[in-house]
Amino acid sequence: TAELTGTDGSGSNGLSIIGGFDNLTFADIWLDGLPRVEKTNNGARYVDGGKGLTYQLGAPAGPVKMGTLRARGIHARDCAYGVDVAISDLTQADANAASIDIEGTAEACYVGFVNSNAASPGPLSPGMATGVRMRGTAIDCQRSVKIDRGHGIDVDIAVATGKTAAARRLAPDGAPWLSTDSVVGGLYLAYAKSSRIAVHGDLGPCDYKAEIGGTVPGASGLGGDTEDCDIHLDLGGTAALDDFRLINIAGGVIRDSRIALTLTTVAGLYSLPTLVFAPSYGNTLTAGPAHRLPELTISGDLTFAHSDGKTNYNKLRRDGFALYAQQTAGSAGNLVIFGAKSNADATQFAIRNDGGLILKGSSAGGTLGPLVQRHPVYDEAGTFIGYVPIYS
C-alpha cells in the first residue's frame, strides 16, 4: 500500500520492474489502493502511478537483458492498472528472448490487464514476440483488457462485475479514474501482431464490449493494422453504444486474423462493422453458427451431413483433375446425384443415378427449322459417341 503526501509529483506503483530482468519469480502478493495522479503529456491526459504489478523497460541507450519473469497469485484491488507491461523501445524486445508470465486478479481497477507499448523507433521483424503471457480475472474494472502494440502476446482474461457502469468509472476517492476516459468496456485492442487474445465473461452494463483495430505503427515497417491474430470473445452484458467498435487510427484496422464471437457478444456476423468482414481485409469470422472464410483449400472430400448431423449422403470429391458430385445414399436409378434450383426452389436441371437428365424444358412451339448447332456426347469412360443436333 502507499499514501501520497502531495499530488504534484508521481503516483505510487506497487511492484515495479524497471530496466532489464532475468530469473524473477513473485508469488502471493496483494496490492491494495495504490494512489495515482493525473498528468498531461503533449496535450494528452494520462494516469501516473497507481499500478499494481508493472514492468517498464523504458527507453535504454543500449541493449538491455530481458529474461524470465513469473508471477502467480497477484491480486490488485482499487489500483489504476492491475497488471501492466510497457516496453518503450520494442526493438529491445525483439533483440532478446523474453518470457513474462503473469497470473492474477484485478479488482475494481481502472484497467485490469494492460500491454501498452510505445511506437517502435526502428524496424521490427514480422513475427517478433515479446513473450508476454497474461492469465487472470478482471472484476468490476472500468476496462478489463487494454492492448496497444502487442507483438506475439498471449492473453486470456475472465470478466465479472456486480457494479453499474457509473460506479466502475470512479476511483476509490470518488473522482473519475481518468477525466478524459469514461468508456466502460471489455477489450480495447489497438494494434497487435501474431497474438492470441481471449476475453470472456459478463460485463453487465457497459459502453462497448470490444473495441478492436489499429493505430500509428511508428517506424516498425509493419503497418498499423492488427494482423495475424486469433481473437475469441464471449462477453455478455448490455452495451449502451455498440457491442463491437472498430478502431481506425491513422488508417489501421484489422486484417488477416481469425475472430470468433459468440452470439452473446454480437447479434450476428454482419452486425459487425463492414471493414471487419470486407473481403479485402481477409479476416476469418465466426459468429455463432455463421462463418465467413476469405479463402479455403480442401485436401480431401467435402461431405454434407444429413438432417441427423452425422450421416453423410452427399460429397464433392476430387478424382484426378476432375471434381465430382457423388451421392452415397443408394443405387436406385432415379436418385439424384447433382442438380440446380431456381430462387423459387424449383429444380431446373439434375443428373440421375442412371445417367438420365432432369430438365425444365419448354414446348417445341412449331416445326423443326434448320440445324444451327451440334453438341458432342461422350460415354462415362470419356469415349466420343456422337452429336446431339439443335434446330432453330
Side-chain angles (χ1 to χ4, degrees):
T1 62
E3 292 183 7
L4 297 181
T5 57
T7 57
D8 294 333
S10 299
S12 285
N13 296 327
L15 179 59
S16 293
I17 301 96
I18 299 175
F21 67 90
D22 192 22
N23 197 28
L24 299 179
T25 301
F26 304 97
D28 303 326
I29 299 176
W30 191 282
L31 306 132
D32 196 2
L34 295 167
R36 82 216 182 280
V37 295
E38 187 170 321
K39 293 184 175 180
T40 302
N41 183 25
N42 294 326
R45 303 291 286 173
Y46 71 99
V47 171
D48 182 272
K51 299 175 176 65
L53 168 61
T54 177
Y55 169 64
Q56 302 171 29
L57 175 64
V64 173
K65 174 70 174 178
M66 290 175 62
T68 60
L69 186 157
R70 184 173 185 266
R72 296 290 183 272
I74 303 299
H75 194 117
R77 185 179 69 182
D78 290 338
C79 296
Y81 293 171
V83 171
D84 169 58
V85 175
I87 301 173
S88 295
D89 188 348
L90 282 164
T91 60
Q92 295 290 321
D94 195 24
N96 299 278
S99 176
I100 301 173
D101 191 356
I102 302 170
E103 291 186 8
T105 300
E107 182 179 357
C109 295
Y110 168 41
V111 187
F113 294 82
V114 181
N115 184 104
S116 183
N117 303 323
S120 178
L124 301 174
S125 62
M128 72 164 289
T130 52
V132 176
R133 176 182 182 268
M134 295 182 186
R135 295 287 187 278
T137 305
I139 303 171
D140 291 331
C141 296
Q142 180 178 330
R143 292 182 178 271
S144 301
V145 180
K146 188 174 188 293
I147 299 169
D148 290 287
R149 300 186 182 91
H151 286 261
I153 65 174
D154 190 346
V155 177
D156 192 334
I157 304 299
V159 176
T161 187
K163 292 184 177 181
T164 65
R168 281 177 279 164
R169 295 185 182 102
L170 302 179
D173 59 7
W177 280 111
L178 181 62
S179 62
T180 54
D181 183 13
S182 62
V183 173
V184 175
L187 171 64
Y188 179 93
L189 169 59
Y191 180 113
K193 307 283 187 183
S194 305
S195 298
R196 177 189 176 275
I197 299 154
V199 186
H200 42 94
D202 193 342
L203 286 165
C206 58
D207 295 303
Y208 301 103
K209 293 179 182 177
E211 299 168 89
I212 298 176
T215 191
V216 180
S220 66
L222 302 179
D225 299 307
T226 287
E227 192 171 14
D228 193 26
C229 290
D230 290 289
I231 301 170
H232 183 274
L233 299 177
D234 182 9
L235 292 170
T238 303
L241 299 177
D242 207 346
D243 290 332
F244 189 110
R245 170 183 171 246
L246 183 67
I247 301 171
N248 189 339
I249 300 175
V253 285
I254 181 167
R255 66 172 63 248
D256 300 329
S257 294
R258 294 143 304 278
I259 310 168
L261 309 102
T262 62
L263 293 182
T264 304
T265 308
V266 295
L269 194 63
Y270 300 110
S271 66
L272 297 172
T274 302
L275 287 183
V276 177
F277 56 79
S280 59
Y281 286 90
N283 293 310
T284 299
L285 303 175
T286 300
H291 305 267
R292 196 202 73 83
L293 306 176
E295 186 175 344
L296 182 64
T297 300
I298 300 173
S299 59
D301 296 344
L302 179 61
T303 59
F304 297 85
H306 197 50
S307 56
D308 61 5
K310 60 179 182 180
T311 308
N312 297 319
Y313 288 151
N314 307 89
K315 66 171 63 177
L316 288 174
R317 52 184 289 265
R318 183 187 60 81
D319 191 346
F321 294 109
L323 182 66
Y324 285 88
Q326 182 181 11
Q327 67 81 20
T328 58
S331 59
N334 63 346
L335 288 178
V336 172
I337 298 172
F338 180 81
K341 288 193 172 187
S342 69
N343 65 322
D345 199 36
T347 298
Q348 305 297 303
F349 163 78
I351 303 172
R352 288 163 40 116
N353 225 26
D354 60 8
L357 300 180
I358 299 172
L359 296 173
K360 182 182 183 299
S362 59
S363 60
T367 59
L368 295 176
L371 178 66
V372 293
Q373 265 187 3
R374 61 181 186 174
H375 287 222
V377 178
Y378 303 85
D379 65 15
E380 64 274 11
T383 302
F384 173 69
I385 299 173
Y387 296 97
V388 174
I390 298 179
Y391 299 92
S392 64

